[in-house]
Amino acid sequence: MSKKYYISTAIAYTSGKPHIGNTYEIVLADAIARFKRSLGYDVYFQTGTDEHGEKIELKAKEAGVSPKQFVDDVAKEIKKIWDVMNTSYDRFVRTTDEIHEEKVKKIFQKMYDKGDIYKGEYKGLYCTPCESFWTESQLIDGACPDCGRSVEEKIEEAYFFRLSKYQEKLEKYIEENPDFIQPESRRNEMLNNFIKPGLQDLCVSRSSFKWGIEVPVDKSHVIYVWLDALTNYITNIGYDPDGSSDEFNKLWPADLHLIGKDIVRFHSIYWPAFLWSLDLEMPHKIFGHPWLLTNNDKMSKSKGNTIYADDLVEKYGVDAVRYYVLHEIPYVNDGNLTYELLEERYNSDLANILGNLVNRTISMNKKYFDNVVVDSNEKNSLDDDLINLVMTTKSKVEKSMDELRVADAIDFVFDIFRRCNKYIDETMPWVLAKEGSLERLKHVIYNLLESIRIGAVLLKPFLPDTADEIFRQLNTNETSYESIDSFGKLKVQDKLNDPKPLFIRIEKEN
């Protein structure tokens, strides 16, 4: 039986259409999920939408529709963009799903019965867009530290979760499990800036608006954002305080929660405490990825600098957009996107290094050998150098993916294509053809075709359509991950399909 791997993204907030910065996360998760599947893991990949709260209630009112109609429309748009990006999620969940709402009530009840939730009064500085309360000392220049907008003082009756009860346990757990929060800089930030200074009990209900899940012990309150949102990771796979499903028992704990760096605090402090309150195991890893900026500035509608994934796909194609966001956002530091940078990378890497290589090689095979795969034994040391690089790439990619260094993994795959281009320059097939060295030419072209095949297998989790098009042109069924354990799986005498450009170079407009 194959080993399970449960990966989730954060659920997207249904306040509006997601921009490319929001979309990056689902593409990153998809690349990891596809890679794990290629290794033979039984992958469960969950994503979805977070749909309750005061902000939604206000936006729906402005739009003149009910909150449910508003979130239905936005959730549909988010799902459409996830699909445009060719992401292979197994389940798209919504916090307005009946099953989720019913389970959240039971979770609240269990925590309340345990004494982990109590009634009190909340007095604090509240940011409506972020749905967060802040203390005076947490504000930056008197404004919300997350979004920079103004805050207002609010006093209201609320139910609280005893977060302070779990402080010592949490501190100890994070210190004893260094891989739990990644990258390390985020782990240190959580410990030193948030946990060690002391955890305050957490407000988990509101009574000043109605758009939320009703508190089971008090119908004048709705369950507040984080207890509703975070529990999506368990409610949708069959968790139930009265007895969980087989699916839950198989999948939990999650192997990876992939989230933006701005919500690491909620996932690494609130979520563990909630799980302990429910007597559940911790997820294995929480990875806070960096942001995708535009012109080195955070994207926002108010700044008018948002770029949308579907617009980029229409202009450059899905795999070009996937390539850019996966390759150009480093492990820890924020990435930067502009149309100019994307076009530059498109031309240099996709059209030139990869597209040109595949097109040249298949064209040469057509010209010299009438599209038929041929080979010979006429070898030399140049071949060994190429084959050695190709055959050691798999382990480098696996190590990078294991460490969630996806950009590095893609670079290793492209090293194969770079090395193939160099090999063409070294062996000069056109000279071999001119000289009549056909046996040597056969081996050179075969090595190139087989190296491209192996590179395409490794490329598939990142650029699935491109890899499939390479396989189609090579006319090969040798596309499994196991097929790259040895060099030479491309069958001699098979006939290739005609070459077709993978990426057309973008010419600069004058």
Side-chain angles (χ1 to χ4, degrees):
M1 198 174 106
S2 50
K3 197 176 166 196
K4 72 92 185 171
Y5 188 83
Y6 173 8
I7 177 173
S8 71
T9 67
I11 46 175
Y13 196 52
T14 47
S15 55
K17 181 178 178 176
H19 56 63
I20 187 66
N22 310 131
T23 309
Y24 162 60
E25 185 175 299
I26 185 85
V27 179
L28 182 64
D30 180 65
I32 296 164
R34 285 177 184 270
F35 185 74
K36 286 289 181 185
R37 285 192 202 105
S38 74
L39 293 181
Y41 281 81
D42 179 7
V43 172
Y44 172 72
F45 171 17
Q46 180 174 297
T47 186
T49 43
D50 174 10
E51 304 187 6
H52 292 124
E54 186 175 19
K55 191 174 169 183
I56 301 286
E57 195 171 82
L58 293 171
K59 279 189 166 279
K61 197 175 176 185
E62 279 169 28
V65 294
S66 70
K68 183 69 169 78
Q69 180 63 57
F70 184 85
V71 295
D72 282 351
D73 293 344
V74 178
K76 195 185 289 177
E77 188 154 38
I78 291 169
K79 189 174 186 296
K80 190 177 95 186
I81 288 180
W82 283 193
D83 292 340
V84 162
M85 292 311 300
N86 191 12
T87 59
S88 59
Y89 55 85
D90 294 289
R91 195 173 280 157
F92 186 97
V93 304
R94 300 178 56 188
T95 55
T96 52
D97 289 339
E98 209 174 295
I99 188 91
H100 175 75
E101 295 194 345
E102 177 197 316
K103 299 285 178 57
V104 169
K105 286 180 186 175
K106 283 186 164 189
I107 286 167
F108 190 102
Q109 188 73 53
K110 180 167 180 171
M111 292 173 170
Y112 182 79
D113 292 344
K114 191 176 184 173
D116 277 357
I117 288 178
Y118 63 91
K119 195 175 195 176
E121 186 181 71
Y122 204 96
K123 182 179 179 182
L125 299 161
Y126 184 69
C127 172
T128 301
C130 292
E131 303 205 0
S132 293
F133 279 102
W134 303 100
T135 60
E136 195 77 51
S137 62
Q138 289 173 314
L139 300 181
I140 296 173
D141 299 330
C144 170
D146 274 358
C147 73
R149 292 182 179 92
S150 59
V151 293
E152 54 183 326
E153 193 166 316
K154 284 200 174 187
I155 302 173
E156 63 180 82
E157 182 185 82
Y159 285 85
F160 290 83
F161 176 80
R162 294 187 196 277
L163 193 61
S164 54
K165 170 182 166 180
Y166 294 98
Q167 166 151 356
E168 279 180 36
K169 189 173 181 175
L170 186 61
E171 203 173 312
K172 187 167 181 277
Y173 187 83
I174 293 171
E175 282 173 342
E176 288 175 359
N177 295 275
D179 287 344
F180 178 56
I181 304 168
Q182 291 284 316
E184 191 184 358
S185 55
R186 314 253 191 266
R187 174 179 174 268
N188 296 337
E189 183 191 2
M190 291 308 116
L191 268 175
N192 301 325
N193 297 8
F194 291 102
I195 301 170
K196 287 183 175 176
L199 294 176
Q200 306 290 311
D201 287 350
L202 179 70
C203 172
V204 289
S205 86
R206 299 288 304 282
S207 57
S208 56
F209 61 91
K210 289 285 166 236
W211 180 240
I213 300 168
E214 215 172 65
V215 167
V217 295
D218 188 338
K219 300 206 181 331
S220 64
H221 285 247
V222 292
I223 294 169
Y224 183 49
V225 56
W226 291 106
L227 188 58
D228 172 10
L230 289 164
T231 51
N232 93 87
Y233 302 129
I234 55 175
T235 58
N236 289 284
I237 57 168
Y239 170 73
D240 190 319
D242 299 332
S244 297
S245 70
D246 290 345
E247 185 185 28
F248 177 79
N249 296 329
K250 173 192 161 185
L251 292 173
W252 193 258
D255 295 272
L256 177 64
H257 287 319
L258 190 68
I259 54 165
K261 63 179 183 179
D262 50 330
I263 54 171
V264 170
R265 181 161 53 102
F266 310 110
H267 283 76
S268 61
I269 298 175
Y270 304 173
W271 185 223
F274 292 165
L275 289 167
W276 279 322
S277 181
L278 298 169
D279 304 310
L280 294 175
E281 285 180 75
M282 292 295 101
H284 293 156
K285 188 172 288 191
I286 291 159
F287 182 80
H289 63 74
W291 287 339
L292 180 59
L293 309 173
T294 180
N295 281 316
N296 293 309
D297 195 5
K298 199 177 170 190
M299 285 184 216
S300 79
K301 279 194 184 135
S302 56
K303 289 177 187 166
N305 65 352
T306 47
I307 298 174
Y308 295 104
D310 49 351
D311 294 338
L312 290 172
V313 167
E314 200 173 311
K315 197 169 165 70
Y316 305 108
V318 64
D319 275 4
V321 181
R322 284 177 67 105
Y323 179 78
Y324 191 90
V325 298
L326 291 172
H327 183 260
E328 294 300 303
I329 303 182
Y331 179 68
V332 177
N333 303 320
D334 293 337
N336 190 33
L337 168 72
T338 63
Y339 282 92
E340 294 74 24
L341 286 170
L342 195 154
E343 288 182 9
E344 202 178 288
R345 188 55 77 190
Y346 179 104
N347 281 341
S348 65
D349 295 9
L350 298 175
N352 194 14
I353 294 168
L354 173 59
N356 193 31
L357 166 71
V358 174
N359 198 261
R360 277 169 90 189
T361 304
I362 294 176
S363 295
M364 285 191 292
N365 194 76
K366 182 180 183 180
K367 181 179 178 181
Y368 302 132
F369 303 115
D370 197 25
N371 269 356
V372 176
V373 179
V374 290
D375 196 6
S376 78
N377 287 319
E378 200 152 319
K379 305 172 180 176
N380 71 27
S381 59
L382 287 173
D383 310 333
D384 296 338
D385 192 43
L386 169 72
I387 293 166
N388 182 49
L389 181 131
V390 171
M391 295 313 291
T392 53
T393 300
K394 180 181 156 187
S395 60
K396 294 177 197 165
V397 170
E398 283 177 13
K399 185 175 186 295
S400 299
M401 291 302 285
D402 216 36
E403 295 170 357
L404 303 179
R405 294 180 181 272
V406 176
D408 292 351
I410 294 175
D411 251 344
F412 286 127
V413 179
F414 267 73
D415 282 345
I416 291 178
F417 306 134
R418 287 185 193 96
R419 187 67 190 83
C420 285
N421 282 315
K422 187 183 172 199
Y423 180 76
I424 292 174
D425 295 340
E426 291 166 341
T427 56
M428 295 188 286
W430 54 93
V431 174
L432 294 173
K434 201 174 175 185
E435 290 172 348
S437 305
L438 285 186
E439 292 307 298
R440 177 67 188 139
L441 180 61
K442 283 177 184 177
H443 194 55
V444 165
I445 301 287
Y446 184 85
N447 287 341
L448 285 165
L449 291 170
E450 177 65 350
S451 299
I452 288 167
R453 181 192 72 80
I454 290 171
V457 171
L458 289 166
L459 187 67
K460 180 142 191 188
F462 315 109
L463 309 187
D465 289 347
T466 302
D468 284 343
E469 176 56 23
I470 294 171
F471 297 141
R472 191 195 66 75
Q473 292 187 36
L474 293 175
N475 195 21
T476 181
N477 295 320
E478 296 289 347
T479 60
S480 71
Y481 199 73
E482 298 73 48
S483 77
I484 61 173
D485 287 342
S486 59
F487 194 93
K489 285 284 172 73
L490 203 60
K491 293 184 183 71
V492 173
Q493 295 307 316
D494 274 8
K495 197 154 181 167
L496 305 186
N497 288 310
D498 281 345
K500 184 183 166 194
L502 295 173
F503 296 95
I504 307 289
R505 195 178 161 77
I506 299 165
E507 298 304 335
K508 287 208 165 23
E509 292 168 18
N510 293 327

